Amino acid sequence: MPSLKTTHSFYLGSISLAASLLLTGCGGDDSSSGFPTPLVVKDAAKTCAALQSAQIDAARIAEPTQGAVVTKATYRAAVSAAPNAAGTAMVAATPDYCELLIDIRPVDTTAPLITSQVNLPVSWNGKSVQMGGGGLNGTLVTGLGPGRADGPETPLPLTRGYMTLGTDSGHQVSAGVDAGAFALNDEALTNYAYAAYKKTRDVGVQLSERFYGHRALKAYYIGGSEGGREGMLMAQRYPADFDGIVVIDPVIRLMGLWQFQLSMGQVQSSPGAWLGGKLQLLHDTVRKACDAIDGIEDQIVSNYKACRPLAETAIASLRCSSGNDEGNSCFSDAQLATLRWTYGGQRYPFTLANQLQSYPGYLYGSEAVDGAFERWVTGTVAPGTMTLPRFHVQQKVGNFS
């Protein structure tokens, strides 16, 4: 059984270091563990082509399926790093490898297929990296990109000799169709929750054995946000499958997050409550109040726990004198109520099965940073009037926690 190492990382520096150490900590010749590395596949193009239409029996996949099939096997010759067409960035180098697209067939014929991709480098270091998704998924994670939080100077995992895997988690985004519509099908929901990643892993093992004659000596999972949630579920449900898991800012209590996001839209749909246009004021106010309390003024709020009372006082001092919105230099009463909700979190009028009664609010700091409040709190346009149900029922919430 692999010795599982799970890393939780919450700061960019530690994220990069944790991922780097995990992926480089088992280098060199692994002959004592099964076979010497790197393992170089002879006549790789022919071996790759032979995997076209390869079938994988359902008995080889631990979670229920009707088996899997390789829908496309493509041999890719090595490509050197080069500038993109616009000359604005470098396109990363890739090695000689076999690219496999796979359909994993559901038991319920009305459920969508799981589409997965497995990339098999011709010169293999004997290890695999499975990459997590994001949001509601629905788009194929090809495994051809960088590791989560890798810098542009870091070679791709595939280029470093890793077999890589990814999946769309068992549904495909379509124009004009709600991104969450897949959840109306029980099997599709279970696939998104946890099963698709296990199924992809098991398919990858079978294809590795056919291409290399061996399964990976070391197997890793890397993901952030939704992909981090997936990593946590892999550690919880399938600890024997992975030797290490890098989890970055995992979305835990996913249903609680969505409900909280909906509630913030509802709060800001009240007249004058939207925070649009006020994020820079909010950001600057919080930074001025809290930047120095960690001992250094560096434009970063690091001691965010101690920041709360200082930030609350500073924000309250910027109340518009009339209580109404008077422009971008103050907050209306309705906007102050929105901020109390945003930072205070949502309390439920009932107790959940796990005894929780609330979902936590945001921490103070970085409000105007790209991808922060504009993405998760305000959006770019004011919400219309909306009414939410008194509570949201998620029958299978256990699949997500």
Side-chain angles (χ1 to χ4, degrees):
M1 178 183 295
S3 176
L4 177 65
K5 301 175 184 176
T6 306
T7 301
H8 301 257
S9 299
F10 298 95
Y11 299 96
L12 185 58
S14 60
I15 288 170
S16 299
L17 179 60
S20 177
L21 289 176
L22 188 59
L23 294 186
T24 60
C26 300
D29 189 327
D30 284 307
S31 56
S32 62
S33 302
F35 56 89
T37 57
L39 187 159
V40 179
V41 178
K42 296 180 180 179
D43 204 0
K46 182 178 179 180
T47 305
C48 181
L51 291 174
Q52 177 69 46
S53 303
Q55 300 283 331
I56 297 169
D57 191 85
R60 298 290 185 178
I61 304 171
E63 293 291 342
T65 71
Q66 293 194 60
V69 60
V70 175
T71 59
K72 189 175 183 180
T74 306
Y75 181 79
R76 305 283 188 189
V79 176
S80 300
N84 63 12
T88 57
M90 293 294 290
V91 178
T94 53
D96 296 326
Y97 71 99
C98 179
E99 177 183 293
L100 303 177
L101 293 177
I102 304 105
D103 281 347
I104 304 175
R105 296 184 289 262
V107 175
D108 177 0
T109 56
T110 67
L113 295 163
I114 299 171
T115 299
S116 300
Q117 183 164 327
V118 175
N119 307 297
L120 304 158
V122 172
S123 180
W124 185 37
N125 65 9
K127 305 164 194 172
S128 69
V129 175
Q130 188 166 339
M131 298 183 179
L136 290 175
N137 289 335
T139 301
L140 178 62
V141 176
T142 65
L144 297 175
R148 181 83 178 199
D150 277 353
E153 74 288 348
T154 304
L156 300 176
L158 181 65
T159 304
R160 294 160 67 185
Y162 288 88
M163 165 186 164
T164 63
L165 308 86
T167 181
D168 64 5
S169 83
H171 62 278
Q172 299 76 41
V173 173
S174 301
V177 178
D178 188 283
F182 72 90
L184 296 173
N185 180 281
D186 283 352
E187 187 169 350
L189 179 59
T190 299
N191 282 333
Y192 169 71
Y194 63 89
Y197 322 111
K198 167 62 172 173
K199 294 173 184 178
T200 296
R201 178 266 176 193
D202 289 354
V203 166
V205 168
Q206 296 302 309
L207 294 172
S208 172
E209 290 182 335
R210 297 186 192 188
F211 189 71
Y212 299 116
H214 300 278
R215 62 177 58 198
L217 297 169
K218 300 289 183 181
Y220 306 114
Y221 200 102
I222 297 179
S225 191
E226 157 59 21
R229 181 194 69 82
E230 296 163 15
M232 296 292 283
L233 266 293
M234 296 304 97
Q236 182 182 50
R237 289 177 174 268
Y238 315 109
D241 285 351
F242 299 97
D243 298 276
I245 295 175
V246 177
V247 168
I248 303 166
D249 297 334
V251 180
I252 303 300
R253 293 183 59 202
L254 185 62
M255 294 299 101
L257 171 64
W258 295 138
Q259 183 69 12
F260 185 42
Q261 298 300 120
L262 287 170
S263 75
M264 284 192 290
Q266 183 184 35
V267 169
Q268 291 183 91
S269 70
S270 301
W274 186 47
L275 293 172
K278 301 295 180 77
L279 292 186
Q280 193 62 53
L281 173 65
L282 177 62
H283 177 98
D284 292 343
T285 301
V286 171
R287 180 183 54 77
K288 183 177 180 180
C290 300
D291 184 4
I293 60 177
D294 62 352
I296 181 173
E297 293 191 41
D298 55 1
Q299 309 295 308
I300 299 173
V301 176
S302 297
N303 192 347
Y304 44 83
K305 291 184 178 180
C307 177
R308 178 175 291 276
L310 301 175
E312 288 175 346
T313 299
I315 291 169
S317 72
L318 293 179
R319 177 184 180 271
C320 299
S321 58
S322 68
N324 299 317
D325 193 350
E326 299 173 5
N328 291 340
S329 62
C330 62
F331 298 105
S332 69
D333 288 343
Q335 289 164 345
L336 290 172
T338 294
L339 290 172
R340 285 192 293 272
W341 184 271
T342 301
Y343 293 113
Q346 182 180 20
R347 295 199 64 82
Y348 309 137
F350 50 83
T351 300
L352 298 176
N354 57 10
Q355 302 306 304
L356 293 176
Q357 296 178 308
S358 64
Y359 190 86
Y362 285 86
L363 299 172
Y364 286 92
S366 302
E367 287 81 1
V369 171
D370 287 346
F373 269 39
E374 184 174 274
R375 178 177 181 182
W376 293 102
V377 177
T378 67
T380 56
V381 295
T385 302
M386 60 187 296
T387 301
L388 294 179
R390 289 182 59 241
F391 56 88
H392 172 77
V393 177
Q394 173 55 46
Q395 184 178 9
K396 295 191 175 182
V397 69
N399 288 344
F400 296 89
S401 58

